[in-house]
Amino acid sequence: MFFVPMEIILPTMKASIVQFSSYTVEFGTRTFFVILTFLLSILIPHIHLFIALIGALASSCLALIFPPLAYVMVFNDSISRGKRITCWCIMAFGAIICVVGTVYSIIKIVKTFV
């Protein structure tokens, strides 16, 4: 796991932490994220709630926000106003779904433990 996030995070980490070797920075960063995931699984022992929370955040962004955002950023000068409005509407819908799904997941987590 963490292949894509690590490809995004590691170049910045390696550039900002120059006193350690590249291997040490990568190993430390990967270890941090594994321990973070482990701690979250301890804090939220009902794994289905954790998966719902991550799914609400990640799925909405990956499916509804990032693709039209990338499209608008790449083809901003050549797309019509209608396509641009459509992309922004899809992104707004994705943001609403992301917020609603995240809030719903957090409410379920709180109700489970309170």
Side-chain angles (χ1 to χ4, degrees), residues 35-70:
I35 291 171
L36 177 67
T37 304
F38 175 72
L39 291 175
L40 286 174
S41 68
I42 290 173
L43 293 173
I44 307 172
H46 300 280
I47 194 70
H48 66 281
L49 298 174
F50 180 66
I51 291 171
L53 178 63
I54 298 303
L57 288 168
S59 298
S60 301
C61 291
L62 288 173
L64 296 171
I65 297 173
F66 292 149
L69 179 63

Side-chain angles (χ1 to χ4, degrees), residues 4-76:
V4 174
M6 292 307 288
E7 290 295 321
I8 296 169
I9 294 169
L10 276 178
T12 306
M13 295 293 291
K14 288 178 181 178
S16 63
I17 305 174
V18 293
Q19 66 265 28
F20 296 106
S21 70
S22 175
Y23 174 77
T24 305
V25 172
E26 182 171 352
F27 183 76
T29 305
R30 287 184 184 274
T31 303
F32 169 76
F33 280 112
V34 169
I35 291 171
L36 177 67
T37 304
F38 175 72
L39 291 175
L40 286 174
S41 68
I42 290 173
L43 293 173
I44 307 172
H46 300 280
I47 194 70
H48 66 281
L49 298 174
F50 180 66
I51 291 171
L53 178 63
I54 298 303
L57 288 168
S59 298
S60 301
C61 291
L62 288 173
L64 296 171
I65 297 173
F66 292 149
L69 179 63
Y71 181 77
V72 168
M73 290 177 69
V74 170
F75 300 108
N76 189 28

